[in-house]
Amino acid sequence: MAILDTSLILSNAQAITTTAYSENVIDLGTPDTWNARSGQARELPINLDITEDFDASGGATLTIVVLSGTSATAGSGTVTTHYSSPAIPKASLLAAASLNALFRLFVPHDARRYLYLQYVVATGPMTAGKITATAATAVRRNIPV
């Protein structure tokens, strides 16, 4: 069991049926503060867990994008794309699965003040599926049961 600061939760069992931003935005502070805290070589991991099986009538996929911006509102202001995951087929998006084994996401050292994710659904929509995404001090390698 881990203790998690609620200000580091990007998505908490967030239902994803169409392309959407994470329900929460993390305020990293001013760029000078963030760079002083993190340093160039230290990056904060983002843990991704499926909390409900994803489903769709077709062969839908999900791509997860790490974004940061100058506005506390996701998708507004100046936005920087830091990373895009590979397209994940719905068959891999099963409850109790951790996506950390497929790829690793990090809060980049050059992130703008506000950090959030975008969930991009392709050949959807999804008819079910939920995801939890949290920034943490370490990547969790075990698969929750």
Side-chain angles (χ1 to χ4, degrees):
M1 179 175 181
I3 297 171
L4 184 64
D5 183 335
T6 57
S7 67
L8 297 177
I9 298 173
L10 290 158
S11 297
N12 186 13
Q14 181 177 345
I16 306 296
T17 55
T18 60
T19 296
Y21 292 113
S22 57
E23 59 196 354
N24 298 313
V25 173
I26 296 175
D27 184 349
L28 299 171
T30 63
D32 290 338
T33 304
W34 170 242
N35 287 332
R37 271 197 325 258
S38 66
Q40 294 296 317
R42 294 177 55 202
E43 296 177 326
L44 190 64
I46 298 172
N47 290 309
L48 299 161
D49 298 303
I50 305 303
T51 55
E52 177 183 279
D53 289 357
F54 278 74
D55 199 7
S57 58
T61 62
L62 179 69
T63 300
I64 301 170
V65 182
V66 178
L67 303 166
S68 68
T70 57
S71 172
T73 302
S76 63
T78 302
V79 177
T80 301
T81 300
H82 297 283
Y83 177 79
S84 244
S85 76
I88 309 160
K90 71 176 181 183
S92 297
L93 299 168
L94 302 175
S98 172
L99 298 179
N100 299 331
L102 298 177
F103 56 89
R104 293 216 170 91
L105 295 183
F106 291 91
V107 176
H109 65 81
D110 60 345
R112 294 179 181 273
R113 180 167 184 161
Y114 300 99
L115 180 93
Y116 49 97
L117 301 177
Q118 184 177 32
Y119 304 105
V120 179
V121 176
T123 62
M126 299 285 188
T127 55
K130 294 182 180 178
I131 193 165
T132 294
T134 57
T137 55
V139 173
R140 190 175 58 250
R141 287 175 169 62
N142 63 322
I143 306 243
V145 290

